[in-house]
Amino acid sequence: MEANNWINEVLESTNGISKATPNQELFSKIQNKINVQNTVSNQWIWIAAASFAVLVSLNIKFIISNSNKTEVPTETIISSVSNNNQLY
């Protein structure tokens, strides 16, 4: 019973509250700031697209050029470096 009374008190606590009205000048300033949209010029969009295209094409070029290299057997390189264990 107490829980129901408490719930009803909470629900009815908003009765009689009026909506707050802001200062008209302040409200118009806030609305103007919201409506202002920063736009990016088309020149910067084209520069970004061209940069992206160059980056992708360079990556593709390097991937293709690295895949064409022949592998040198590591045993040949190791055996040709040194045949003794002398450090100095």
Side-chain angles (χ1 to χ4, degrees):
M1 186 71 176
E2 275 186 39
N4 286 339
N5 288 339
W6 179 76
I7 292 172
N8 288 333
E9 285 179 18
V10 170
L11 290 175
E12 292 175 3
S13 66
T14 59
N15 292 343
I17 295 177
S18 62
K19 185 177 178 180
T21 56
N23 183 356
Q24 191 62 29
E25 184 179 333
L26 175 64
F27 186 70
S28 65
K29 284 182 183 180
I30 293 171
Q31 287 295 329
N32 287 337
K33 284 187 180 183
I34 291 172
N35 292 334
V36 171
Q37 295 178 354
N38 293 333
T39 58
V40 178
S41 68
N42 287 336
Q43 178 184 8
W44 287 109
I45 293 172
W46 282 106
I47 289 172
S51 300
F52 184 73
V54 167
L55 181 66
V56 168
S57 63
L58 285 175
N59 281 331
I60 291 172
K61 177 186 173 208
F62 288 129
I63 289 171
I64 291 172
S65 68
N66 284 340
S67 67
N68 291 337
K69 290 184 179 178
T70 59
E71 294 185 21
V72 176
T74 57
E75 294 174 1
T76 308
I77 296 172
I78 293 171
S79 65
S80 67
V81 172
S82 177
N83 289 335
N84 60 17
N85 294 330
Q86 189 175 10
L87 297 176
Y88 296 103

